[in-house]
Structure formats: C-alpha cells, structure tokens
Amino acid sequence: MEYIKGIDVSHWQGTINWGEVAKAGVKFVFIKATEGTSYSKLSYFKENAPQALAAGLKVGAYHYAKFATVAEAKAEAVYFLDSISSFALNYPVVLDLEENKKRQIKKR
C-alpha cells in the first residue's frame, strides 16, 4: 500500500513556509477556511491557499461545523462555499464535525 503524506492546518500553525513543507515530502494540505457562519480568521485561508498551490501542493479546504439545526447547517454550507468559491482548489472540500451539542439536528 502506498501512503501519501498530507497535513491539515489552521491559524494555530501560524506562518508556514510552503516551499519547506513541499520539500519535506508533503503532497497535500487541508486548510481551515471557515467556522460557523462568521470566522475572524478567514484571511488565514485566503493567504495560505494560493501559497500552498504555488508550492505545488494539492490543496483542499475544510469547514469547522457548529450547527445544531438544519437551517444553521444550510447557512454554514452557503458561507463555506461562498468563502472558497474564488479559489482554484485541486483537492476535496470537507466538513470537520467534532461536536454536536444538541445530539441531533432539530428542524426549524
């Protein structure tokens, strides 16, 4: 089985030298783009996605979900897609679902 080395990053990783990441054998990266329906660190994605692409990496984006209702889930999806739509990503977009405080989605 062949393994492909990849990483995920968010603003917690700070400034990244994407050329060094590529030299280290990393082939892909998922960069946090959004969280909820407003995200104060969206500029991190906007700055890093083009740099990672320029370094020759496959780049995908992820959304950190916070929704508790169907309406909130739809609003978050729209926000995420609007936020990344101007980027020519070459890897999947994904949902980071780590918590469900309501334990179930309630319709509104």
Side-chain angles (χ1 to χ4, degrees):
M1 179 182 296
E2 182 180 348
Y3 291 94
I4 302 170
K5 188 175 182 181
I7 59 174
D8 75 278
V9 299
S10 70
H11 70 279
W12 295 109
Q13 279 69 51
T15 302
I16 296 173
N17 181 325
W18 292 106
E20 291 297 316
V21 170
K23 285 180 191 175
V26 172
K27 301 295 183 193
F28 70 89
V29 59
F30 284 99
I31 304 173
K32 181 177 181 178
T34 55
E35 179 175 323
T37 55
S38 62
Y39 184 55
S40 64
K41 308 280 192 281
L42 180 57
S43 61
Y44 186 84
F45 173 80
K46 291 181 175 185
E47 292 168 11
N48 282 280
Q51 293 175 26
L53 287 163
L57 298 170
K58 298 288 186 185
V59 179
Y62 73 91
H63 171 78
Y64 186 93
K66 300 189 87 169
F67 59 82
T69 67
V70 171
E72 290 171 353
K74 289 178 180 179
E76 288 188 25
V78 168
Y79 172 62
F80 175 51
L81 295 174
D82 284 349
S83 297
I84 66 170
S85 65
S86 64
F87 295 88
L89 302 176
N90 55 10
Y91 227 53
V93 297
V94 297
L95 176 67
D96 183 355
L97 183 58
E98 295 184 23
E99 58 186 275
N100 185 348
K101 294 178 182 171
K102 299 288 184 181
R103 300 285 180 233
Q104 63 183 9
I105 295 177
K106 295 180 181 178
K107 290 187 178 185
R108 279 194 187 168

